[in-house]
Amino acid sequence: MRRKTIAVLCFLLAPSLCWGQDDRRPSGQQQPPTKADAEFLQAADEVMAQMSKLLSLPIREPLKRSVRSREEIRQFLIRQMKDDKDDAKRYADRRALEALGLIPKDYPLDQKLLALLTEQIAGLYDPKEREFFIADWTNPAEQRMIMAHELTHALQDQYFHVEQWEEAVKSNDDAQLARESVLEGSAMIAMIDYLLRTTGKSSRDISDLDPTMLLGDVADSPELSQAPLILQDEIVFPYVPGASFVQRALKEWSGWPDLHKLFENPPASTQQILHPDLYFRGVAPAKIDLAPVTKAVPAGWKKLDENVLGEFGTNEVLKQFLGKDRADDLAPSWTGDRYAIYQRESGTRTLLVIRMKLSDETAAARFFGAYSELLEKKNENRKALLRRPNFFSFETPDGGVFLRCVADECLIAEGSTREMFEGMTRAIHWPAGPLAPRPPAQPGTTSVRQGSAPAGRAALRSGPSPAIPQQPVPVSPAL
């Protein structure tokens, strides 16, 4: 599901970007240097020296610098997107987002993302070419702030080889987003410290730093304001929760000289970014084994991808259908998950399977109540609805939808059959389910409800918030 972005939004107070790829400009496009270019080069050298001192990272090698037009940046993005992932992975990402209900079916994801980033890019550090460039339309008064952010990346790259560091967890989208949050969060805090450098203060002295204060109005960005919520949130996440996480780390340790600790022992999940106490206590996500479930999927289905939602992704799915407050209440009870997205080999129908572990049985009951409601909102065209304690299902034109929770785990399958789902639960050694023979649909009705709603649904509205796990759990392998 992860769509690795390469730019932060320019509606941030200090517009800046993350990572680019190889930029091969066609010959003949270089423009003669101007006075503004010379001023830019001098300013970049000055800010690089200032950031090197601030971060306690001596400059190891010279850095290429350039100024680029919006069209040059757009062409850069097109090449970057082509190099970033193969076509199969890009297709799998889109189908997973569609199946989760986070983007409309047939949404032109790549085209919209290209337009959004072209609108927003103000400056960028390219680790392949060891080059920093800035957009020629940026406000001169803000250029040094942009430089402070991006040249932090350049210095980090000289010491920690950031591209390889991120790629080390490329099979885990959630872990990759956590590492991106270290990169962008540290660059945001470094930018704040750059602005405070003559005051004798630093970000460590700010007890109530709110990174959202650096945000402008999304409505001022036409492309961003029209983008699906998942794209808005995923682009902003590394910079806002990421900044809060890094500030906490610098306070816990001895400031910038200890930054290397975040690269040597990076956060394993977005949950650790959102709840830094878990990182400092060593509480990592549970390792979820999806292999038995996927082996129960019959022939005729092609697996497109297998990955991790994380607390961030779980929150996004809940928020899409149940609203922010309920999502923020429920998502912290996540302790681990793994999902797989399949496509029918004879067509385009998809199968989505999610195995999720919650913090305890109470949290799983609350999740069951909320997610069953979510599934109903997501699938208006449904029939043969069956509700039992901890089991919920109905039929849609695209296949059956099933949700079952046992102890502190839940299994979700959308686009399945009843036989397939029962095979999945047997494969993970769950006890025989509470199913009775499916009742025939009554004439003139669209659903049949049996049993009562589980207590978790009532607890969802009035019970206490689920606790974040207090004891360390097995570390997940490196969404």
Side-chain angles (χ1 to χ4, degrees), residues 53-349:
K53 181 178 179 180
L54 187 154
L55 299 171
S56 299
L57 295 175
I59 299 171
R60 287 184 166 176
E61 61 183 60
L63 183 69
K64 291 184 285 186
R65 298 93 70 214
S66 61
V67 180
R68 305 194 185 188
S69 69
R70 195 182 294 273
E71 179 56 28
E72 287 176 316
I73 291 174
R74 181 177 180 276
Q75 293 302 317
F76 174 93
L77 291 172
I78 292 173
R79 288 187 290 275
Q80 192 275 339
M81 286 181 168
K82 288 179 179 179
D83 292 343
D84 186 41
K85 293 178 179 177
D86 60 38
D87 290 342
K89 175 59 176 169
R90 297 164 75 84
Y91 179 76
D93 284 346
R94 181 170 65 81
R95 296 311 302 265
L97 290 168
E98 289 177 354
L100 289 162
L102 295 174
I103 62 172
K105 188 176 180 180
D106 298 325
Y107 182 79
L109 186 60
D110 288 344
Q111 298 92 313
K112 292 295 186 180
L113 190 58
L114 174 62
L116 190 160
L117 297 179
T118 301
E119 173 191 73
Q120 293 297 323
I121 285 187
L124 187 143
Y125 170 68
D126 173 8
K128 284 193 180 296
E129 293 297 312
R130 302 289 198 274
E131 180 177 6
F132 160 65
F133 62 78
I134 201 165
D136 63 3
W137 51 264
T138 54
N139 184 338
E142 295 179 342
Q143 285 186 355
R144 286 181 180 254
M145 295 168 63
I146 299 169
M147 292 176 187
H149 186 111
E150 295 307 322
L151 295 177
T152 295
H153 291 321
L155 289 164
Q156 290 172 335
D157 191 33
Q158 291 185 8
Y159 282 82
F160 309 119
H161 309 292
V162 296
E163 191 173 38
Q164 296 93 323
W165 182 74
E166 278 199 285
E167 286 295 303
V169 291
K170 65 180 180 181
S171 62
N172 183 326
D173 287 350
D174 187 58
Q176 194 168 50
L177 183 55
R179 293 195 179 199
E180 189 176 338
S181 299
V182 169
L183 295 172
E184 296 306 335
S186 59
M188 290 290 284
I189 296 299
M191 184 185 69
I192 293 171
D193 283 353
Y194 173 80
L195 296 174
L196 296 172
R197 69 192 185 282
T198 61
T199 67
K201 301 287 186 180
S202 75
S203 58
R204 296 171 68 198
D205 300 310
I206 304 175
S207 60
D208 56 349
L209 177 65
D210 181 4
T212 61
M213 294 180 64
L214 299 173
L215 298 178
D217 188 348
V218 174
D220 293 337
S221 169
E223 292 293 341
L224 184 65
S225 62
Q226 296 173 19
L229 188 60
I230 179 61
L231 294 188
Q232 297 181 27
D233 290 347
E234 194 172 45
I235 288 175
V236 173
F237 184 89
Y239 302 88
V240 178
S244 296
F245 173 83
V246 171
Q247 186 204 26
R248 168 70 183 278
L250 297 180
K251 286 184 175 183
E252 288 280 336
W253 299 327
S254 299
W256 290 111
D258 284 337
L259 178 66
H260 65 94
K261 294 181 180 180
L262 286 177
F263 289 88
E264 294 163 358
N265 181 31
S269 67
T270 54
Q271 184 170 72
Q272 290 184 333
I273 297 294
L274 291 163
H275 312 283
D277 283 344
L278 298 179
Y279 172 79
F280 291 106
R281 300 206 321 266
V283 180
K287 182 179 179 180
I288 305 300
D289 185 8
L290 197 64
V293 174
T294 59
K295 288 178 181 178
V297 177
W301 290 95
K302 177 184 178 181
K303 185 195 291 186
L304 302 179
D305 191 25
E306 183 176 322
N307 225 299
V308 181
L309 288 172
E311 182 177 333
F312 169 80
T314 301
N315 187 296
E316 288 296 308
V317 176
L318 293 168
K319 180 165 62 173
Q320 184 76 25
F321 297 96
L322 303 180
K324 183 178 185 304
D325 289 345
R326 293 178 68 186
D328 290 347
D329 178 46
L330 287 160
S333 67
W334 174 96
T335 62
D337 81 84
R338 197 150 185 88
Y339 76 87
I341 181 74
Y342 292 82
Q343 181 171 301
R344 195 74 171 153
E345 291 181 350
S346 58
T348 59
R349 194 174 126 189

Side-chain angles (χ1 to χ4, degrees), residues 391-463:
F391 178 84
F392 179 69
S393 72
F394 55 79
E395 296 293 327
T396 78
D398 296 318
V401 174
F402 300 86
L403 165 64
R404 186 182 174 198
C405 296
V406 172
D408 60 356
E409 283 195 333
C410 293
L411 183 66
I412 304 154
E414 300 181 56
S416 178
T417 65
R418 176 169 163 176
E419 293 71 25
M420 190 192 308
F421 186 75
E422 290 178 335
M424 294 175 186
T425 62
R426 286 194 301 271
I428 55 178
H429 307 295
W430 279 7
L435 291 176
R438 180 178 300 161
Q442 297 298 319
T445 65
T446 59
S447 68
V448 177
R449 296 176 179 262
Q450 293 197 13
S452 58
R457 183 177 293 274
L460 173 68
R461 297 188 174 89
S462 60

